[in-house]
Amino acid sequence: MATPSKKTSTPSPQPSKRALPRDPSSEVPSKRKNSAPQLPLLQSSGPFVEGSIVRISMENFLTYDICEVSPGPHLNMIVGANGTGKSSIVCAICLGLAGKPAFMGRADKVGFFVKRGCSRGMVEIELFRASGNLVITREIDVAKNQSFWFINKKSTTQKIVEEKVAALNIQVGNLCQFLPQDKVGEFAKLSKIELLEATEKSIGPPEMHKYHCELKNFREKEKQLETSCKEKTEYLQKMVQRNERYKQDVERFYERKRHLDLIEMLEAKRPWVEYENVRQEYEEVKLVRDRVKEEVRKLKEGQIPITRRIEEMENERHNLEARIKEKIEELQQALIVKQNEELDRQRRIGNTRKMIEDLQNELKTTENCENLQPQIDAITNDLRRIQDEKALCEGEIIDKRRERETLEKEKKSVDDHIVRFDNLMNQKEDKLRQRFRDTYDAVLWLRNNRDKFKQRVCEPIMLTINMKDNKNAKYIENHIPSNDLRAFVFESQEDMEVFLKEVRDNKKLRVNAVIAPKSSYADKAPSRSLNELKQYGFFSYLRELFDAPDPVMSYLCCQYHIHEVPVGTEKTRERIERVIQETRLKQIYTAEEKYVVKTSFYSNKVISSNTSLKVAQFLTVTVDLEQRRHLEEQLKEIHRKLQAVDSGLIALRETSKHLEHKDNELRQKKKELLERKTKKRQLEQKISSKLGSLKLMEQDTCNLEEEERKASTKIKEINVQKAKLVTELTNLIKICTSLHIQKVDLILQNTTVISEKNKLESDYMAASSQLRLTEVFQDLPNTLDEIDALLTEERSRASCFTGLNPTIVQEYTKREEEIEQLTEELKGKKVELDQYRENISQVKERWLNPLKELVEKINEKFSNFFSSMQCAGEVDLHTENEEDYDKYGIRIRVKFRSSTQLHELTPHHQSGGERSVSTMLYLMALQELNRCPFRVVDEINQGMDPINERRVFEMVVNTACKENTSQYFFITPKLLQNLPYSEKMTVLFVYNGPHMLEPNRWNLKAFQRRRRRITFTQPS
C-alpha cells in the first residue's frame, strides 16, 4: 500500500531494499493489498522477469513527502481518488528510468516535478536482474534544474543509466509500453507508420527495428543511385550524340591544320635560303656606314666655334630682351599709376564738394542750441530725484529680505519642534499598530473619513491621553482596562453606529467603541479635598496626572471615577490600615500597589485587597499637547508674517522696476538733447575741415600728356637698340643655318645606313635561329622559286577549308574526356546499385517474414478480444508500394456495431470510449508477445461505458496474470463492483493526507493481526 506522509523527513542511509511477495493466506482473498516493508536486497529468480520493477521510492516528489511502493510481478492495480498521487507514481517510473519530462506531457523541466516549497527531490527505482538487482537513483535540484544519477548508490552519468535501461529493453518513450495519462489521447493519433515502429520496438526481436531502419536507409540510397544512374546515362547519351554531330568538322579541322603546319615550315625555311644574299649586302652597307661616320665627325669639328658664337649671341639676346621688356613694363606701369591717381583725385574732389553741400544744408536746418539747456537741467533734476527714490527702495528690499530670513529660521525651528512631538506621537501609534493592528487600521480609516460624522469622534484613549509625568503612567494603565484604552470615544450614538457598521461589518476589524456622557463629568469635583488627604501621603487624584480631550476625560470620570481615586506614595503604604479605616476610600494607589476596599453586605466589615502594579506599556511616551498647540499657532503667525513680507517685497520690486524704467527714459531724453546741442558745432567743424581738404586736392594736379610723351620717347630709344642686336644675330643665324643643312643631310644618310644595318642584323638573327631546323628543312625545296611555288599550292589547299571554328574542336575534345570519365563513374554506380539491391533483398527477407508472422499473431489475439465483446477488429500490415519500406505501417480496423463496416481507427471516426477500448485491446494483444519487462497504462478506462470497462478489465486480468508475461501497471481512479480478480494480481491503494504515517512506521502484518483479534473477540 502506498502510504505517503505529509511530514518531511530524511531517512538514514541504509542498504537498498525491496518487497518480497507475501503469503496470500494472510491477506483478503479477493483483493491482495501490498504494503511497503523494508526488507534486505535479495537475489531472486521468482516470478519477476528480467527488468521488472521491484520497488519505487519517492521523496519530495509531486504530491509525496516520502513514499515507497512495492509492486507485484504480474498485474498491479493502482487505485486512488483524483489528486492523491497515482499519476505521480507513473511520473516517478518515467523520470527514474532516464525518461524525459516531455514524455508525460506535463512539464518540460524536471524541476517542476519536485514538491512545491522543496529545493530537492528524489526518485529511486529498483529493477529485477538475475545477476543482482539494479537500483537507479535520480536526485533533482530545483534551483539548477539539474539531476544527479546513482547506480547502486554510486554516482554515475545519465548516459550510462540510459544504456543500462536500454539493455533491459525498457522504452519509456514508446506508447506501446508506457502510456501515461496525458498521452492516452495521442495513441489513437499515431499514424500507421508510427504504430508499426512502436510495435517493433515493443514486442519485436531486437534486430527487427534495426533491419527496418536499414531497409529504409538502403531503399533511400537505392533511389538516389537509380536517380543518379538514370541522370548520368541520359547525360552520357546526349554527350555521345553531340560529338557524333561534330566528328566530321573536327577531321576537316585537323586536315587544314596539317596544310597550315607545312606552310609555316616553308615560310620558316625561306629566310634561311635568303641568308647568304643578305649577308653579302650587309658587308657592303657596313663599309658605307663607316665612311659616312668619318665625314660627320669632320663636319662636327668645323661647326663647334660657330655653334659656340651662336649660343653666346643667343644668350645675350635673351638677356637684352628681358631688360627691354622689364624697362618698357616699368614705364607703362608708372604711366598707369599716374592716370589712376588723377582719376582718384577727381573723384575725391567731387565727393568732398557733395559732402560740403550736404553739411551746409544740414547746418541750415539745425535749430539754435541755446533753447535746449533749460530742458537738460530739468531732466538732470528729475534723474537725481529718481536715484534717491531707488536707493530708498533698495534699502527697504534689503530690510525685507533680512526679515524674511529671520522668519524662515524661526519657522524651521518651530517645524523641528513639531516634528519631535510628531515622532513621540508616532511611537504611541507604533505600539498600537504592533499590539492592536485592527484598531490601528480603524484609526487610519477614521482620519480619512471624519467628514462622515456629525459630532466629535476621539481616537483610541491610549492615543489621546498625554501624561504630565510618564512615571505616573503605570497608575492609569492599571486603572483603565486594555479594552477601554484602545476604544474610540463618541459623543453621538448615531456616529458610533455608522463607525461600527463600516469598520466591524464591512472591514471585519475588531475594535471597541464607547459613548461619552451627555453631561460632562470632566470638571466634576472630588468628594474629598486633596488637602485633607495629603496627611496620608496622597499627592494627586488620577485625573490630575494626565491631559485628555473633554469627551475622553468625561467618560473616564463617569466610568472609572478617576476624579475620586487618589495616588499616594510609600508613606501611604506604610499607613495603609489607618488610611483604609479613616478615609473610607474605595480605591487607593500607593507607590507600587493598588488597594481595593469593599464593605461586606452582611457583616459590614471592611475588606481590602491589594495587587502589585504592572509596568506601563502604552502611556510612557509623553506629548505636551498644549505646547504643541502653542507651536502650531506660532507657526501660523510666522506663515502670516512671511506672506506679509513676501507681499511687501513684491510691491517694492514693482516700485524699483518702475523707477528703473523711468530713469532709463530720462537718460535717453537727456542724451538726445545733448546730441542736438553739440550737433551744430560739429557740423561747422566738419565743413571747415572739408573745405581745407578740397583746396589741397585742387592744388595737387598732374600733366598726363607730358608724362605720356616722355614714356614714348624712352620706348623708341630702347627699340632702336633692340633692332641693331637683331640684325647682328640674323647674320650669324644665316651662317649657322647653312652648316645645319649640311649636318642634317649627313645625319639622314647615317640614319638610312643604320636602319639598313639593323634590318640586316635582324634578318641575320632570324636566319641564324632557323639554322637549328636544318634537319626539318631537309625534305623541303632548297631554292626560293621552288619554295614560293609550294607555298602557293599549300595556301590554295588550306583556303578550301572554310567555316571551321577552333572552339568546336576544343569542346569535342573536352566532351570525349567527359564521356570517358562519365562511363567509368556510371559503371561504378551500377556496381554499387547492384550491391544495394542484393543487400535490400537479404535484409527484406530477414525483416518482412518475421514481421508478417508477428502482425498475424497480433491480429489473431486482437480479433479474439473483439469477438469476445461481440465486436469485430483486425490488424494488418499496410503499404501502398512494397518497395517503399518507410511507408509500411500497422493498420487497426474496428467495428463496434453489426450494421457497420470495419473502419480504420482514427482520432475522428470513433468515439472516445471506442478509441480507449481499441487502444486497450491492442496493448493486451501485445502483452503475451511482449519482450519488454513491464507495461504502464494510466487511466485508459475513463471514457468507457460500464459494459466495455468490465469486459476490458476481465481481459486485462486474464492476460496480465498468465505465467511468463511481463509486469503490468494499470492505473485507475475507480473500479466497478463485482469485478473478477486473480490471486496473482496486486492492488495498490493510494491514500494521501496530513495524518498519514511514514512508510517506516507502518507494518501491514501487525495491522492485520490486530484486525483479526478484534474480529475474533466480537460476539457472533
Side-chain angles (χ1 to χ4, degrees):
M1 185 186 299
T3 57
S5 171
K6 284 295 177 181
K7 298 179 182 178
T8 303
S9 62
T10 305
S12 58
Q14 53 185 340
S16 66
K17 303 176 182 179
R18 71 177 181 87
L20 290 176
R22 274 163 288 288
D23 184 5
S25 63
S26 64
E27 301 181 2
V28 181
S30 60
K31 291 186 181 181
R32 180 175 172 221
K33 300 178 183 179
N34 190 358
S35 66
Q38 303 292 323
L39 298 176
L41 180 66
L42 298 178
Q43 307 287 332
S44 174
S45 59
F48 285 98
V49 299
E50 192 84 0
S52 298
I53 298 175
V54 176
R55 179 174 57 87
I56 307 166
S57 180
M58 295 166 283
E59 183 176 336
N60 296 331
F61 187 81
L62 291 176
T63 58
Y64 297 104
D65 287 338
I66 298 175
C67 181
E68 187 169 292
V69 181
S70 297
H74 298 292
L75 176 61
N76 291 274
M77 297 284 296
I78 301 178
V79 186
N82 288 329
T84 54
K86 305 183 301 300
S87 296
S88 299
I89 298 174
V90 177
C91 295
I93 294 173
C94 178
L95 295 180
L97 296 176
K100 297 179 180 178
F103 289 167
M104 278 83 72
R106 286 193 171 196
D108 56 351
K109 293 184 179 179
V110 71
F112 292 153
F113 290 86
V114 177
K115 187 172 183 179
R116 184 174 297 176
C118 300
S119 60
R120 295 177 74 88
M122 185 274 291
V123 176
E124 188 170 271
I125 308 291
E126 183 175 348
L127 302 175
F128 175 78
R129 284 195 312 184
S131 59
N133 286 6
L134 180 69
V135 180
I136 299 173
T137 306
R138 182 175 190 171
E139 293 183 0
I140 304 169
D141 190 322
V142 177
K144 299 179 180 178
N145 192 42
Q146 188 176 1
S147 297
F148 303 95
W149 296 90
F150 302 88
I151 293 181
N152 295 334
K153 305 300 180 182
K154 294 181 181 179
S155 179
T156 185
T157 63
Q158 182 175 352
K159 185 177 181 181
I160 294 176
V161 173
E162 291 173 349
E163 292 173 355
K164 294 281 187 182
V165 170
L168 294 171
N169 198 32
I170 297 173
Q171 306 165 20
V172 292
N174 190 339
L175 295 182
C176 288
Q177 178 179 348
F178 195 90
L179 190 61
Q181 179 182 354
D182 297 313
K183 294 285 186 176
V184 171
E186 293 188 14
F187 187 88
K189 297 178 183 178
L190 288 176
S191 66
K192 295 187 285 291
I193 299 170
E194 292 171 336
L195 185 59
L196 172 60
E197 183 178 352
T199 304
E200 285 178 339
K201 292 179 180 178
S202 179
I203 65 171
E207 66 276 3
M208 179 176 285
H209 181 64
K210 175 186 173 185
Y211 288 155
H212 191 186
C213 293
E214 288 180 359
L215 274 175
K216 288 189 283 187
N217 294 334
F218 286 160
R219 177 56 182 162
E220 185 65 27
K221 191 66 178 176
E222 182 187 18
K223 287 181 180 178
Q224 294 176 2
L225 287 172
E226 286 176 348
T227 304
S228 177
C229 289
K230 183 178 178 182
E231 291 174 352
K232 288 183 182 296
T233 303
E234 292 175 355
Y235 184 64
L236 181 62
Q237 290 174 355
K238 290 179 181 179
M239 298 277 282
V240 171
Q241 291 172 2
R242 190 175 299 173
N243 264 17
E244 285 297 327
R245 288 198 300 269
Y246 292 114
K247 186 174 182 180
Q248 188 175 1
D249 290 342
V250 172
E251 290 175 352
R252 292 178 68 241
F253 177 83
Y254 282 117
E255 181 68 22
R256 178 174 177 271
K257 188 173 183 300
R258 284 194 293 273
H259 291 298
L260 293 176
D261 290 342
L262 180 57
I263 290 170
E264 184 180 356
M265 294 300 294
L266 288 170
E267 289 176 347
K269 185 175 181 180
R270 196 174 190 286
W272 182 74
V273 173
E274 293 174 347
Y275 170 70
E276 284 299 325
N277 296 331
V278 173
R279 188 176 62 81
Q280 294 295 331
E281 293 176 3
Y282 170 72
E283 291 296 334
E284 295 175 1
V285 170
K286 189 176 180 182
L287 293 174
V288 173
R289 184 199 64 181
D290 292 340
R291 189 167 58 253
V292 170
K293 274 186 177 182
E294 183 64 24
E295 292 177 1
V296 170
R297 185 183 63 77
K298 291 178 180 179
L299 286 171
K300 283 183 177 180
E301 290 178 356
Q303 192 182 0
I304 288 173
I306 298 173
T307 304
R308 287 178 182 171
R309 178 61 181 159
I310 290 172
E311 288 176 357
E312 292 174 0
M313 294 297 294
E314 189 69 25
N315 292 334
E316 187 176 353
R317 182 180 66 81
H318 283 303
N319 293 335
L320 184 59
E321 283 183 351
R323 287 198 301 273
I324 291 170
K325 186 177 180 182
E326 184 178 352
K327 190 65 175 175
I328 291 171
E329 287 178 355
E330 287 178 2
L331 291 172
Q332 290 175 346
Q333 190 65 30
L335 182 60
I336 291 169
V337 169
K338 290 291 184 181
Q339 291 172 347
N340 291 337
E341 287 178 356
E342 181 60 22
L343 290 173
D344 184 58
R345 188 180 68 82
Q346 293 295 334
R347 187 172 59 255
R348 283 189 286 111
I349 288 171
N351 291 338
T352 304
R353 286 176 177 166
K354 190 174 183 305
M355 287 176 66
I356 290 170
E357 184 178 352
D358 292 341
L359 289 171
Q360 287 174 347
N361 293 333
E362 187 177 359
L363 183 60
K364 291 176 183 178
T365 59
T366 304
E367 65 182 56
N368 192 358
C369 61
E370 295 177 358
N371 300 328
L372 300 177
Q373 189 60 40
Q375 298 179 29
I376 294 172
D377 294 339
I379 290 173
T380 303
N381 292 332
D382 291 342
L383 282 172
R384 191 176 298 112
R385 178 176 53 77
I386 288 172
Q387 289 294 331
D388 294 340
E389 291 179 3
K390 281 177 64 178
L392 182 62
C393 185
E394 290 293 335
E396 291 180 2
I397 289 174
I398 292 169
D399 293 340
K400 290 288 185 183
R401 286 176 177 168
R402 289 174 181 169
E403 183 180 354
R404 194 179 192 287
E405 290 174 0
T406 304
L407 290 172
E408 287 288 350
K409 290 178 182 178
E410 292 179 7
K411 178 176 175 293
K412 186 176 183 305
S413 176
V414 172
D415 285 338
D416 293 342
H417 280 83
I418 291 174
V419 167
R420 284 197 289 273
F421 279 118
D422 289 343
N423 290 339
L424 293 174
M425 195 65 186
N426 289 338
Q427 292 179 18
K428 297 175 75 173
E429 291 178 4
D430 287 342
K431 290 183 178 181
L432 176 66
R433 178 173 54 80
Q434 293 170 6
R435 289 292 302 276
F436 309 108
R437 183 57 190 250
D438 287 0
T439 305
Y440 177 78
D441 292 341
V443 169
L444 298 180
W445 181 88
L446 175 64
R447 291 174 180 175
N448 294 326
N449 297 276
R450 286 193 180 274
D451 56 335
K452 294 184 179 181
F453 304 101
K454 297 178 181 179
Q455 297 186 28
R456 184 175 181 182
V457 180
C458 295
E459 294 181 359
I461 294 174
M462 63 183 294
L463 294 181
T464 56
I465 285 179
N466 184 48
M467 299 301 301
K468 294 178 181 179
D469 188 347
N470 56 11
K471 291 187 295 184
N472 298 324
K474 59 184 178 181
Y475 302 120
I476 306 302
E477 290 193 22
N478 280 275
H479 190 73
I480 304 172
S482 173
N483 285 341
D484 270 4
L485 278 176
R486 58 190 178 93
F488 293 82
V489 182
F490 293 84
E491 292 183 338
S492 164
Q493 179 72 26
E494 183 182 353
D495 286 348
M496 187 173 75
E497 290 176 358
V498 170
F499 176 80
L500 293 178
K501 182 179 180 182
E502 182 66 34
V503 175
R504 279 188 185 173
D505 299 343
N506 296 342
K507 295 188 174 296
K508 308 300 181 185
L509 300 177
R510 293 176 294 175
V511 297
N512 297 332
V514 297
I515 299 179
K518 293 184 178 180
S519 58
S520 177
Y521 282 74
D523 298 327
K524 188 175 181 181
S527 58
R528 287 172 178 255
S529 172
L530 185 62
N531 292 330
E532 295 178 14
L533 299 177
K534 283 185 178 179
Q535 60 178 321
Y536 302 110
F538 292 106
F539 64 89
S540 176
Y541 283 105
L542 287 177
R543 182 177 63 182
E544 277 68 38
L545 296 179
F546 64 91
D547 295 322
D550 188 71
V552 176
M553 189 68 78
S554 177
Y555 172 77
L556 294 178
C557 289
C558 177
Q559 186 70 22
Y560 296 105
H561 307 288
I562 58 174
H563 62 294
E564 296 283 2
V565 179
V567 180
T569 60
E570 193 64 29
K571 177 182 176 182
T572 308
R573 191 187 65 78
E574 293 172 357
R575 305 176 183 180
I576 191 63
E577 292 182 2
R578 177 186 167 194
V579 170
I580 292 171
Q581 293 297 330
E582 295 179 1
T583 60
R584 295 289 180 174
L585 293 168
K586 294 182 180 181
Q587 293 187 67
I588 301 170
Y589 283 93
T590 64
E592 298 296 336
E593 293 177 333
K594 174 184 179 181
Y595 289 86
V596 179
V597 181
K598 295 181 181 179
T599 302
S600 175
F601 182 76
Y602 300 99
S603 61
N604 288 329
K605 289 183 179 181
V606 177
I607 302 170
S608 66
S609 62
N610 65 314
T611 56
S612 298
L613 297 180
K614 298 177 182 177
V615 178
Q617 297 180 3
F618 303 111
L619 303 178
T620 54
V621 179
T622 301
V623 180
D624 191 342
L625 296 179
E626 186 62 32
Q627 186 179 357
R628 193 183 188 284
R629 281 194 293 274
H630 175 71
L631 288 172
E632 287 178 349
E633 292 175 0
Q634 188 177 349
L635 186 61
K636 289 179 182 177
E637 181 63 22
I638 291 171
H639 278 298
R640 186 187 62 76
K641 290 181 179 180
L642 279 171
Q643 289 176 358
V645 170
D646 289 340
S647 300
L649 275 173
I650 291 170
L652 288 171
R653 289 193 181 103
E654 287 296 327
T655 303
S656 178
K657 185 177 178 182
H658 176 70
L659 291 173
E660 185 70 28
H661 179 68
K662 195 170 182 181
D663 181 74
N664 291 336
E665 287 181 352
L666 290 173
R667 289 182 183 276
Q668 184 65 27
K669 287 181 180 179
K670 184 178 179 181
K671 181 180 178 183
E672 291 175 357
L673 291 172
L674 291 173
E675 287 177 353
R676 286 165 59 188
K677 182 179 178 182
T678 57
K679 189 173 183 180
K680 183 175 182 181
R681 186 164 56 252
Q682 290 174 353
L683 288 173
E684 291 174 350
Q685 291 175 356
K686 286 182 180 179
I687 291 170
S688 176
S689 175
K690 293 297 179 183
L691 288 172
S693 299
L694 181 61
K695 187 175 180 181
L696 291 174
M697 283 189 287
E698 288 175 346
Q699 291 175 357
D700 188 13
T701 58
C702 179
N703 191 349
L704 288 176
E705 294 178 357
E706 182 65 22
E707 293 294 333
E708 289 177 359
R709 188 182 58 77
K710 291 179 180 179
S712 298
T713 303
K714 290 180 180 180
I715 290 171
K716 288 178 181 178
E717 293 175 356
I718 292 168
N719 286 332
V720 169
Q721 295 177 8
K722 180 180 178 182
K724 292 179 180 178
L725 291 172
V726 169
T727 303
E728 184 178 354
L729 181 62
T730 302
N731 295 329
L732 291 172
I733 287 171
K734 287 179 180 179
I735 297 169
C736 188
T737 301
S738 62
L739 294 173
H740 270 295
I741 291 170
Q742 296 178 19
K743 178 182 177 182
V744 168
D745 292 339
L746 293 172
I747 289 171
L748 288 174
Q749 294 177 16
N750 187 39
T751 303
T752 303
V753 172
I754 290 172
S755 64
E756 290 181 2
K757 174 200 170 189
N758 291 337
K759 183 177 182 302
L760 291 172
E761 286 180 349
S762 62
D763 292 342
Y764 172 76
M765 294 298 294
S768 298
S769 63
Q770 296 296 329
L771 288 174
R772 291 190 296 271
L773 302 175
T774 305
E775 295 179 358
V776 180
F777 293 157
Q778 286 178 357
D779 298 332
L780 299 177
N782 294 321
T783 64
L784 289 176
D785 294 335
E786 292 175 349
I787 289 172
D788 290 339
L790 187 56
L791 271 173
T792 303
E793 181 183 352
E794 290 298 325
R795 283 172 180 158
S796 299
R797 290 179 180 178
S799 62
C800 294
F801 296 94
T802 58
L804 298 178
N805 191 351
T807 57
I808 293 176
V809 179
Q810 295 175 1
E811 290 175 1
Y812 180 87
T813 307
K814 184 178 179 181
R815 275 195 294 272
E816 282 291 328
E817 294 174 356
E818 289 182 5
I819 288 169
E820 184 178 355
Q821 181 181 355
L822 199 58
T823 303
E824 291 296 325
E825 290 181 4
L826 187 59
K827 184 178 179 182
K829 291 286 183 183
K830 287 182 178 179
V831 171
E832 187 178 0
L833 180 59
D834 293 339
Q835 291 176 352
Y836 270 102
R837 285 173 176 167
E838 185 179 354
N839 291 337
I840 289 173
S841 177
Q842 295 174 358
V843 176
K844 180 180 178 181
E845 184 177 355
R846 290 197 294 266
W847 170 72
L848 189 58
N849 294 335
L851 177 61
K852 288 181 178 178
E853 293 175 4
L854 184 65
V855 173
E856 283 298 324
K857 292 179 182 179
I858 296 172
N859 180 47
E860 180 183 354
K861 294 184 180 298
F862 188 75
S863 300
N864 292 338
F865 287 146
F866 261 86
S867 297
S868 65
M869 295 177 61
Q870 287 77 46
C871 300
E874 67 176 28
V875 177
D876 62 356
L877 188 64
H878 178 265
T879 182
E880 296 177 357
N881 184 357
E882 189 175 349
E883 300 301 324
D884 291 338
Y885 304 106
D886 56 343
K887 299 292 176 35
Y888 274 76
I890 288 181
R891 180 173 60 180
I892 300 176
R893 295 194 296 165
V894 295
K895 181 177 73 171
F896 287 90
R897 287 166 288 279
S898 59
S899 60
T900 61
Q901 300 294 324
L902 285 170
H903 288 284
E904 186 176 344
L905 180 64
T906 65
H908 313 293
H909 191 274
Q910 290 81 14
S911 66
E914 290 172 347
R915 290 199 302 272
S916 297
V917 170
S918 303
T919 302
M920 196 66 188
L921 294 183
Y922 184 80
L923 296 178
M924 294 309 303
L926 303 182
Q927 179 69 10
E928 294 184 9
L929 305 173
N930 195 13
R931 64 184 182 87
C932 61
F934 64 86
R935 190 184 309 281
V936 177
V937 179
D938 189 1
E939 297 192 19
I940 198 171
N941 59 334
Q942 289 301 294
M944 299 183 190
D945 59 76
I947 296 174
N948 285 335
E949 184 177 353
R950 185 177 297 277
R951 291 173 178 173
V952 169
F953 184 83
E954 183 177 353
M955 294 178 190
V956 170
V957 172
N958 294 335
T959 305
C961 293
K962 290 182 179 179
E963 292 294 335
N964 300 323
T965 58
S966 61
Q967 194 178 32
Y968 203 100
F969 289 88
F970 187 85
I971 293 89
T972 178
K974 64 179 179 62
L975 289 174
L976 299 175
Q977 295 181 354
N978 301 321
L979 291 173
Y981 296 94
S982 170
E983 288 294 329
K984 292 184 179 180
M985 66 185 291
T986 301
V987 180
L988 301 171
F989 292 98
V990 180
Y991 295 100
N992 202 342
H995 305 295
M996 295 301 299
L997 293 175
E998 296 179 7
N1000 54 9
R1001 295 175 59 190
W1002 171 258
N1003 190 320
L1004 179 63
K1005 289 187 176 180
F1007 173 78
Q1008 290 176 335
R1009 286 196 298 271
R1010 287 195 299 272
R1011 182 71 181 86
R1012 290 194 191 97
R1013 284 199 298 271
I1014 294 172
T1015 304
F1016 294 154
T1017 55
Q1018 288 179 349
S1020 58

